[in-house]
Amino acid sequence: MKSVLQRVSQASVTVENQVIGQIGRGMLVLFGVEKDDDEAKLDYHVGKLLRLRIFADKNDKMNLSVQDIQGELLIVSQFTLAADCRKGNRPGFDNAKPPKEAEQLYNRFVEKLRQESGLKVETGSFGAMMQVALVNDG
């Protein structure tokens, strides 16, 4: 399980010229699932993401989590995070979990984030061709 987190002032995901997910201040999370990922790893990942202190406090120190600031989350599936680029110039995706299983873990990830945080959690569309836009905060 791998994620790329980006602190944003706003972000959105568009499919077929329609915005399907949009947030204000918070985190854009590109989320990839690998073959050996399971529910236990998912629980750890959710907890870490919600407690990660990457937002500035009143003294401009990174001391606050997305929960502390009541931020928003945009979760976008990204199977390419499982890519192996060590050999040749074409990435290999043997380490990616098969799509049906990956989608189940992706959906559980989103569910758990909603349940455990109480924050607004928006998503992309699993397996779709998506355009992700963001305004970086930092």
Side-chain angles (χ1 to χ4, degrees):
M1 200 165 296
K2 292 181 182 175
S3 290
V4 174
L5 311 176
Q6 182 64 54
R7 201 173 64 181
V8 298
S9 57
Q10 63 184 14
S12 65
V13 62
T14 302
V15 174
E16 296 179 4
N17 296 318
Q18 264 194 292
V19 174
I20 62 168
Q22 184 172 340
I23 63 167
R25 184 176 184 218
M27 275 195 282
L28 167 64
V29 180
L30 302 178
F31 180 74
V33 183
E34 297 177 311
K35 280 185 180 175
D36 64 342
D37 292 338
D38 57 19
E39 194 80 19
K41 286 184 179 180
L42 192 68
D43 289 338
Y44 173 82
H45 210 75
V46 166
K48 181 60 84 171
L49 185 139
L50 293 177
R51 292 188 302 271
L52 198 60
R53 298 184 315 171
I54 62 171
F55 293 91
D57 64 14
K58 64 182 179 184
N59 297 316
D60 211 24
K61 294 222 180 223
M62 289 199 318
N63 269 331
L64 303 176
S65 71
V66 69
Q67 286 185 295
D68 294 332
I69 68 157
Q70 289 297 290
E72 301 174 345
L73 299 164
L74 176 58
I75 314 301
V76 178
S77 62
Q78 187 66 45
F79 84 96
T80 60
L81 292 176
D84 182 353
C85 299
R86 292 177 289 182
K87 294 180 183 173
N89 294 319
R90 182 176 301 158
F93 296 101
D94 291 341
N95 199 36
K97 193 173 269 302
K100 282 190 179 201
E101 295 172 51
E103 185 173 14
Q104 290 173 348
L105 275 179
Y106 169 79
N107 290 333
R108 286 290 296 140
F109 182 64
V110 171
E111 274 178 45
K112 284 179 177 269
L113 286 170
R114 286 182 174 137
Q115 290 169 351
E116 294 185 26
S117 72
L119 300 175
K120 176 182 177 182
V121 179
E122 296 277 304
T123 66
S125 179
F126 189 92
M129 291 297 291
M130 297 175 275
Q131 291 76 48
V132 179
L134 66 107
V135 176
N136 182 46
D137 180 22

